[in-house]
Amino acid sequence: MVKERLKKFLPLILATLATVFVLAIYFSQSNNEQADAWEENESAFQQATEDSEKTTEETGKIIVDIKGEINKPGVYELEGDARVKEVILEAGGLTKQAEEKQLNLAEKLQDQQMIYIPNKEEAEEMAIDGDKETGDNNEDMIDINAADINELQKISGVGPAKAQAIVDYREENGAFESVDELNEISGFGEKTVEKLRDSIKI
């Protein structure tokens, strides 16, 4: 009875074993191919890295990325002593919308440097933001020609005695023409004046 069952299922068992054997060979070859592909990709990456290092170190070339209002934005290879003007020419020149006033065409380029060329609207917005920042900073500064004793004491490092000395100096010599005149007041050394320079104005 057992032998008859074995004979009945023997073809199925053999077919299953054959299938498993074939699949094992297939996956083994597939893994080997993947490993070979990985090694090839890794080798290609290393070669590209070496070529890049050779470009910047041995040949003296640099790679620069230029974007914005330029006719042919992209990555360019130039001589190591190239200037901004040269990469602009290499990239087809500026567009009609480009704002050239903020560019330093004589600036020496660096390897891996990114240059962005703004349009006129962007340049105007940047200028406005810069003016606002400067204005805010000026509002926080104390005018040593107009401030009274109490206001002068709001300056970090200036107490009642130094505030009075500033007022006395103004009364005797007139308005300050320069922050450096504080050096002429007793108690105000060069280091003290340098610390106060960002907090006061004329």
Side-chain angles (χ1 to χ4, degrees):
M1 186 71 175
V2 175
K3 290 182 179 180
E4 291 178 358
R5 288 185 178 180
L6 287 174
K7 289 181 180 180
K8 182 178 180 181
F9 291 105
L10 184 59
L12 179 60
I13 294 172
L14 292 175
T16 302
L17 291 174
T19 301
V20 171
F21 180 73
V22 171
L23 289 174
I25 294 175
Y26 172 78
F27 283 114
S28 176
Q29 291 178 344
S30 178
N31 289 335
N32 289 335
E33 290 175 357
Q34 290 179 355
D36 292 340
W38 174 262
E39 290 179 359
E40 290 178 2
N41 290 336
E42 185 177 11
S43 176
F45 176 77
Q46 290 177 348
Q47 184 63 42
T49 302
E50 291 174 0
D51 291 344
S52 176
E53 292 176 352
K54 181 178 179 181
T55 298
T56 57
E57 294 178 6
E58 295 182 12
T59 67
K61 301 282 187 178
I62 59 173
I63 307 297
V64 178
D65 183 12
I66 186 166
K67 303 177 180 180
E69 295 298 331
I70 195 79
N71 286 316
K72 297 178 181 178
V75 178
Y76 291 87
E77 181 180 277
L78 301 105
E79 296 296 333
D81 59 351
R83 309 285 172 163
V84 170
K85 181 179 180 180
E86 293 174 56
V87 70
I88 289 176
L89 292 174
E90 190 76 14
L94 302 174
T95 66
K96 293 181 180 180
Q97 292 76 30
E99 178 53 80
E100 188 177 351
K101 293 180 181 179
Q102 294 187 352
L103 296 176
N104 180 4
L105 299 178
E107 179 184 351
K108 188 174 181 180
L109 296 170
Q110 303 293 327
D111 186 40
Q112 301 181 26
Q113 183 175 349
M114 192 278 283
I115 300 172
Y116 181 78
I117 310 296
N119 58 40
K120 291 179 171 57
E121 290 183 2
E122 290 173 330
E124 186 176 347
E125 289 177 1
M126 287 188 287
I128 292 174
D129 291 340
D131 291 341
K132 285 182 178 179
E133 185 175 346
T134 302
D136 292 340
N137 290 338
N138 286 336
E139 289 178 4
D140 294 335
M141 300 170 77
I142 302 294
D143 187 341
I144 59 175
N145 279 328
D148 59 23
I149 292 178
N150 292 328
E151 290 176 322
L152 289 170
Q153 291 181 62
K154 294 178 181 178
I155 303 171
S156 178
V158 175
K162 287 185 177 180
Q164 184 62 57
I166 292 173
V167 172
D168 292 343
Y169 182 89
R170 283 193 326 225
E171 292 176 352
E172 293 177 8
N173 302 280
F176 289 92
E177 295 182 2
S178 168
V179 172
D180 293 325
E181 283 188 54
L182 287 173
N183 288 314
E184 300 179 17
I185 302 176
S186 177
F188 287 87
E190 291 184 4
K191 292 183 179 179
T192 301
V193 174
E194 285 303 316
K195 290 180 181 179
L196 299 178
R197 194 176 294 277
D198 293 334
S199 304
I200 59 179
K201 62 182 179 179
I202 302 299

